[in-house]
Amino acid sequence: MTNTKVLILGGTGDAAEIAARVATIPEVEAIASLAGRTRQPSIPSGNVRIGGFGGVAGLVSYLQEMSIDFVIDATHPFASQISWNAAAATAEVGIPRLLFNRPAWEKLNGDRWIEVESITDAAAALSNQAQRVFLTVGRQELSAFAHLEGIWFLMRVIDSPSADALTPPGLVLCDRGPFALDNEREILIHYKIDTIVSKNSGGDATYAKIIAARELGIQVVMVKRPAIPPGEQVSNVEDVVAWLLGNL
């Protein structure tokens, strides 16, 4: 009897946990797919593929060639293109798709958020508003802030930018979450940060900086999430497993 094949589109800690859980289900083969944008990604256990698919057509070909039965989209909330590609490809092939959509962070009492629609809007929001900025939006977004004058940036990224990359003035800090509250508080105080720029990624791994900003009264420019494709979605790992078991 052929195993049921489940493709898990990953790149997050949640995806790694989902892959590990799915791999324990009898007669189910879990295949975790990573985009490969970080140089030393955290590799989930089990079957892993690294690299893009080549758009919708490439993903359709992969699903057919590998005889994939289910797709679980557990990509980062801001990796919206792959989510839309997955929706189109699974519809074309005719297989079920589930979107794992972890809850966004919500503004609480004491939070000083400026909510914006895009990275470009985040850069615009800093003009005449900030002097020392903790930039936590990822290596690929740094160039959007390079034109700003009179602002010093602490840029936390997983991988350092390439030598010819366009970056704003400041210091690059290479580190990977999860981050502890004490660590985040110390960074904000040590570097005299007055503004944080963050994507609303949700989850616990990077939330400590938001708590620290709340405690210290520091402003946060929060980039809202992009739109997601319609379809079934859940917000925790247990519900992913339950959905898969219910469909087997």
Side-chain angles (χ1 to χ4, degrees):
M1 182 176 175
T2 305
N3 283 350
T4 298
K5 290 186 177 181
V6 181
L7 177 65
I8 299 151
L9 303 174
T12 62
D14 298 307
E17 184 181 350
I18 289 167
R21 291 288 299 277
V22 171
T24 66
I25 301 172
E27 299 180 350
V28 170
E29 180 183 348
I31 303 169
S33 175
L34 305 178
R37 287 181 178 165
T38 55
R39 294 178 192 130
Q40 292 182 306
S42 297
I43 305 294
S45 57
N47 296 334
V48 178
R49 71 170 298 279
I50 296 177
F53 291 98
V56 175
L59 183 50
V60 166
S61 295
Y62 181 84
L63 296 176
Q64 292 172 332
E65 288 169 10
M66 296 296 292
S67 300
I68 300 296
D69 298 292
F70 298 94
V71 171
I72 297 171
D73 178 1
T75 53
H76 191 277
F78 282 80
S80 59
Q81 189 59 58
I82 183 62
S83 292
W84 285 94
N85 289 354
T90 50
E92 185 170 332
V93 176
I95 61 174
R97 170 188 59 92
L98 179 69
L99 177 64
F100 174 83
N101 188 30
R102 64 189 181 206
W105 299 322
E106 295 185 3
K107 186 177 180 181
L108 302 179
N109 286 338
D111 283 329
R112 295 178 56 211
W113 289 11
I114 299 172
E115 295 186 86
V116 296
E117 299 292 335
S118 68
I119 292 293
T120 302
D121 291 344
L126 295 179
S127 297
N128 304 317
Q129 287 276 343
Q131 292 180 304
R132 297 182 67 83
V133 174
F134 189 21
L135 196 54
T136 63
V137 293
R139 172 171 52 94
Q140 294 174 310
E141 311 284 14
L142 297 180
S143 61
F145 300 86
H147 67 285
L148 295 172
E149 297 179 355
I151 301 176
W152 182 90
F153 290 87
L154 177 65
M155 298 160 269
R156 184 163 66 194
V157 292
I158 295 176
D159 295 320
S160 59
S162 59
D164 60 348
L166 191 61
T167 59
L171 176 67
V172 173
L173 179 64
C174 293
D175 205 355
R176 186 195 298 268
F179 301 106
L181 178 56
D182 287 348
N183 174 81
E184 302 298 70
R185 192 186 295 115
E186 184 179 330
I187 283 175
L188 297 179
I189 293 171
H190 178 76
Y191 290 102
K192 299 180 174 63
I193 299 298
D194 60 49
T195 306
I196 295 173
V197 181
S198 174
K199 296 175 177 176
N200 194 333
S201 302
D204 297 329
T206 61
Y207 186 59
K209 67 189 174 191
I210 306 303
I211 300 173
R214 184 186 307 135
E215 290 178 356
L216 297 169
I218 290 173
Q219 176 177 263
V220 178
V221 177
M222 186 68 76
V223 183
K224 296 178 184 177
R225 292 182 178 186
I228 56 173
E232 282 190 87
Q233 60 174 284
V234 296
S235 59
N236 65 71
V237 174
E238 295 299 329
D239 287 345
V240 174
V241 176
W243 175 85
L244 185 57
L245 292 173
N247 280 281
L248 290 176

